[in-house]
Short mmCIF file of all heavy atoms in Angstrom, two decimals:
data_model
loop_
_atom_site.label_atom_id
_atom_site.label_comp_id
_atom_site.label_asym_id
_atom_site.label_seq_id
_atom_site.Cartn_x
_atom_site.Cartn_y
_atom_site.Cartn_z
N ASN A 807 0.82 -1.22 0.00
CA ASN A 807 0.00 0.00 0.00
C ASN A 807 0.85 1.27 0.00
O ASN A 807 0.31 2.36 -0.20
CB ASN A 807 -0.98 0.01 1.17
CG ASN A 807 -0.30 0.01 2.52
OD1 ASN A 807 0.87 -0.30 2.65
ND2 ASN A 807 -1.06 0.35 3.55
N ARG A 808 2.15 1.17 0.20
CA ARG A 808 3.04 2.33 0.16
C ARG A 808 3.88 2.39 -1.10
O ARG A 808 4.56 3.38 -1.36
CB ARG A 808 3.99 2.29 1.37
CG ARG A 808 3.28 2.46 2.70
CD ARG A 808 4.25 2.67 3.84
NE ARG A 808 5.01 3.89 3.62
CZ ARG A 808 6.34 3.97 3.70
NH1 ARG A 808 7.06 2.94 4.00
NH2 ARG A 808 6.95 5.12 3.47
N GLN A 809 3.84 1.34 -1.90
CA GLN A 809 4.75 1.26 -3.05
C GLN A 809 4.54 2.37 -4.07
O GLN A 809 5.50 2.90 -4.61
CB GLN A 809 4.67 -0.12 -3.70
CG GLN A 809 5.37 -1.17 -2.87
CD GLN A 809 5.53 -2.49 -3.57
OE1 GLN A 809 5.30 -2.61 -4.77
NE2 GLN A 809 5.94 -3.50 -2.81
N ASN A 810 3.30 2.75 -4.34
CA ASN A 810 3.07 3.80 -5.34
C ASN A 810 3.67 5.13 -4.93
O ASN A 810 4.31 5.82 -5.74
CB ASN A 810 1.58 3.95 -5.64
CG ASN A 810 1.05 2.82 -6.48
OD1 ASN A 810 1.81 2.12 -7.15
ND2 ASN A 810 -0.26 2.62 -6.45
N ILE A 811 3.49 5.50 -3.67
CA ILE A 811 4.03 6.79 -3.20
C ILE A 811 5.56 6.75 -3.16
O ILE A 811 6.23 7.73 -3.49
CB ILE A 811 3.41 7.20 -1.84
CG1 ILE A 811 3.69 8.67 -1.57
CG2 ILE A 811 3.90 6.34 -0.71
CD1 ILE A 811 2.85 9.25 -0.45
N VAL A 812 6.12 5.60 -2.79
CA VAL A 812 7.58 5.46 -2.76
C VAL A 812 8.13 5.48 -4.18
O VAL A 812 9.12 6.16 -4.46
CB VAL A 812 7.99 4.18 -2.00
CG1 VAL A 812 9.48 3.92 -2.13
CG2 VAL A 812 7.61 4.30 -0.52
N ARG A 813 7.47 4.78 -5.09
CA ARG A 813 7.89 4.79 -6.50
C ARG A 813 7.91 6.22 -7.05
O ARG A 813 8.84 6.63 -7.72
CB ARG A 813 6.93 3.97 -7.36
CG ARG A 813 7.15 2.50 -7.35
CD ARG A 813 6.10 1.81 -8.25
NE ARG A 813 6.22 0.38 -8.15
CZ ARG A 813 7.07 -0.34 -8.85
NH1 ARG A 813 7.89 0.24 -9.70
NH2 ARG A 813 7.13 -1.65 -8.70
N ALA A 814 6.83 6.97 -6.76
CA ALA A 814 6.73 8.33 -7.26
C ALA A 814 7.87 9.20 -6.72
O ALA A 814 8.47 9.98 -7.46
CB ALA A 814 5.37 8.92 -6.89
N CYS A 815 8.17 9.04 -5.45
CA CYS A 815 9.23 9.85 -4.83
C CYS A 815 10.59 9.49 -5.41
O CYS A 815 11.39 10.37 -5.75
CB CYS A 815 9.21 9.65 -3.32
SG CYS A 815 10.26 10.81 -2.44
N VAL A 816 10.86 8.20 -5.56
CA VAL A 816 12.14 7.77 -6.12
C VAL A 816 12.28 8.24 -7.56
O VAL A 816 13.37 8.64 -7.99
CB VAL A 816 12.31 6.24 -6.01
CG1 VAL A 816 13.51 5.74 -6.79
CG2 VAL A 816 12.43 5.82 -4.54
N SER A 817 11.18 8.25 -8.30
CA SER A 817 11.26 8.68 -9.70
C SER A 817 11.43 10.20 -9.83
O SER A 817 11.91 10.68 -10.85
CB SER A 817 10.03 8.22 -10.48
OG SER A 817 8.88 8.91 -10.06
N ARG A 818 11.06 10.95 -8.79
CA ARG A 818 11.19 12.42 -8.82
C ARG A 818 12.61 12.90 -8.54
O ARG A 818 12.95 14.02 -8.87
CB ARG A 818 10.28 13.05 -7.75
CG ARG A 818 8.91 13.39 -8.20
CD ARG A 818 8.20 14.33 -7.23
NE ARG A 818 8.27 13.96 -5.83
CZ ARG A 818 7.42 13.14 -5.22
NH1 ARG A 818 6.45 12.57 -5.90
NH2 ARG A 818 7.53 12.88 -3.94
N HIS A 819 13.41 12.07 -7.89
CA HIS A 819 14.71 12.54 -7.40
C HIS A 819 15.85 11.59 -7.75
O HIS A 819 15.65 10.38 -7.81
CB HIS A 819 14.68 12.67 -5.88
CG HIS A 819 13.61 13.56 -5.36
ND1 HIS A 819 13.68 14.93 -5.44
CD2 HIS A 819 12.43 13.29 -4.75
CE1 HIS A 819 12.60 15.45 -4.89
NE2 HIS A 819 11.82 14.48 -4.48
N ALA A 820 17.01 12.18 -7.91
CA ALA A 820 18.23 11.38 -8.05
C ALA A 820 18.66 10.92 -6.65
O ALA A 820 18.29 11.54 -5.65
CB ALA A 820 19.34 12.23 -8.68
N ALA A 821 19.45 9.88 -6.59
CA ALA A 821 19.94 9.39 -5.31
C ALA A 821 20.67 10.49 -4.55
O ALA A 821 20.53 10.61 -3.32
CB ALA A 821 20.87 8.18 -5.52
N SER A 822 21.39 11.35 -5.26
CA SER A 822 22.14 12.42 -4.61
C SER A 822 21.23 13.38 -3.84
O SER A 822 21.62 13.93 -2.80
CB SER A 822 22.96 13.20 -5.64
OG SER A 822 22.11 13.76 -6.62
N ALA A 823 20.00 13.56 -4.30
CA ALA A 823 19.05 14.44 -3.61
C ALA A 823 18.70 13.86 -2.24
O ALA A 823 18.60 14.59 -1.25
CB ALA A 823 17.80 14.63 -4.44
N PHE A 824 18.50 12.54 -2.18
CA PHE A 824 18.19 11.91 -0.90
C PHE A 824 19.37 12.01 0.06
O PHE A 824 19.19 12.24 1.26
CB PHE A 824 17.77 10.45 -1.09
CG PHE A 824 16.50 10.30 -1.88
CD1 PHE A 824 16.49 9.64 -3.10
CD2 PHE A 824 15.29 10.83 -1.42
CE1 PHE A 824 15.33 9.50 -3.83
CE2 PHE A 824 14.12 10.71 -2.15
CZ PHE A 824 14.14 10.04 -3.36
N PHE A 825 20.57 11.84 -0.46
CA PHE A 825 21.76 11.95 0.40
C PHE A 825 21.93 13.38 0.90
O PHE A 825 22.31 13.61 2.06
CB PHE A 825 23.00 11.44 -0.32
CG PHE A 825 22.99 9.95 -0.51
CD1 PHE A 825 22.83 9.39 -1.77
CD2 PHE A 825 23.09 9.09 0.57
CE1 PHE A 825 22.79 8.02 -1.95
CE2 PHE A 825 23.05 7.71 0.41
CZ PHE A 825 22.90 7.17 -0.86
N ALA A 826 21.61 14.37 0.07
CA ALA A 826 21.66 15.77 0.50
C ALA A 826 20.62 16.03 1.60
O ALA A 826 20.91 16.73 2.59
CB ALA A 826 21.43 16.70 -0.69
N LEU A 827 19.44 15.46 1.44
CA LEU A 827 18.40 15.63 2.46
C LEU A 827 18.77 14.90 3.76
O LEU A 827 18.41 15.36 4.85
CB LEU A 827 17.05 15.14 1.94
CG LEU A 827 16.42 16.02 0.87
CD1 LEU A 827 15.19 15.35 0.26
CD2 LEU A 827 16.07 17.40 1.41
N LEU A 828 19.52 13.81 3.66
CA LEU A 828 20.00 13.13 4.86
C LEU A 828 20.96 14.02 5.65
O LEU A 828 20.97 13.99 6.88
CB LEU A 828 20.68 11.80 4.51
CG LEU A 828 19.74 10.62 4.33
CD1 LEU A 828 20.46 9.45 3.67
CD2 LEU A 828 19.15 10.20 5.67
N LYS A 829 21.74 14.84 4.96
CA LYS A 829 22.62 15.79 5.65
C LYS A 829 21.80 16.82 6.42
O LYS A 829 22.13 17.19 7.55
CB LYS A 829 23.56 16.47 4.66
CG LYS A 829 24.62 15.55 4.11
CD LYS A 829 25.52 16.29 3.14
CE LYS A 829 26.56 15.33 2.56
NZ LYS A 829 27.45 16.01 1.61
N VAL A 830 20.71 17.28 5.81
CA VAL A 830 19.82 18.22 6.50
C VAL A 830 19.18 17.51 7.70
O VAL A 830 19.04 18.10 8.78
CB VAL A 830 18.74 18.78 5.54
CG1 VAL A 830 17.79 19.72 6.28
CG2 VAL A 830 19.38 19.48 4.35
N ALA A 831 18.82 16.25 7.52
CA ALA A 831 18.21 15.48 8.61
C ALA A 831 19.17 15.33 9.79
O ALA A 831 18.74 15.38 10.95
CB ALA A 831 17.77 14.11 8.11
N ARG A 832 20.44 15.17 9.49
CA ARG A 832 21.44 15.08 10.57
C ARG A 832 21.45 16.38 11.38
O ARG A 832 21.49 16.36 12.61
CB ARG A 832 22.82 14.79 9.99
CG ARG A 832 23.87 14.59 11.05
CD ARG A 832 25.23 14.17 10.53
NE ARG A 832 25.23 13.72 9.15
CZ ARG A 832 26.08 14.16 8.22
NH1 ARG A 832 27.00 15.04 8.50
NH2 ARG A 832 26.02 13.71 6.99
N ARG A 833 21.40 17.52 10.67
CA ARG A 833 21.36 18.82 11.35
C ARG A 833 20.07 18.97 12.16
O ARG A 833 20.08 19.48 13.28
CB ARG A 833 21.47 19.96 10.33
CG ARG A 833 22.82 20.06 9.68
CD ARG A 833 22.93 21.12 8.59
NE ARG A 833 22.07 22.27 8.74
CZ ARG A 833 21.41 22.84 7.72
NH1 ARG A 833 21.51 22.38 6.48
NH2 ARG A 833 20.65 23.90 7.92
N ALA A 834 18.96 18.52 11.57
CA ALA A 834 17.66 18.63 12.25
C ALA A 834 17.63 17.76 13.50
O ALA A 834 17.08 18.16 14.53
CB ALA A 834 16.53 18.23 11.29
N ASP A 835 18.23 16.59 13.42
CA ASP A 835 18.28 15.70 14.59
C ASP A 835 19.09 16.35 15.71
O ASP A 835 18.67 16.33 16.87
CB ASP A 835 18.89 14.35 14.19
CG ASP A 835 18.88 13.37 15.34
OD1 ASP A 835 17.77 13.02 15.80
OD2 ASP A 835 19.98 12.95 15.78
N ALA A 836 20.22 16.93 15.35
CA ALA A 836 21.04 17.63 16.36
C ALA A 836 20.25 18.79 16.96
O ALA A 836 20.28 19.01 18.18
CB ALA A 836 22.34 18.12 15.73
N ALA A 837 19.53 19.52 16.13
CA ALA A 837 18.72 20.65 16.62
C ALA A 837 17.62 20.16 17.56
O ALA A 837 17.37 20.76 18.60
CB ALA A 837 18.13 21.42 15.44
#
């Protein structure tokens, strides 16, 4: 039931975009 939304998200972005957002997530976690 989550595959369509995950597929859409993966198709919208390159892997590098997710890794960049993970860097922001690291900052957000520290905050």
Side-chain angles (χ1 to χ4, degrees):
N807 63 343
R808 294 190 62 230
Q809 286 190 11
N810 286 340
I811 195 165
V812 172
R813 279 179 185 276
C815 191
V816 170
S817 69
R818 270 195 311 273
H819 303 285
S822 60
F824 296 118
F825 290 110
L827 289 171
L828 277 166
K829 289 180 182 180
V830 178
R832 184 175 346 131
R833 291 176 30 221
D835 184 63

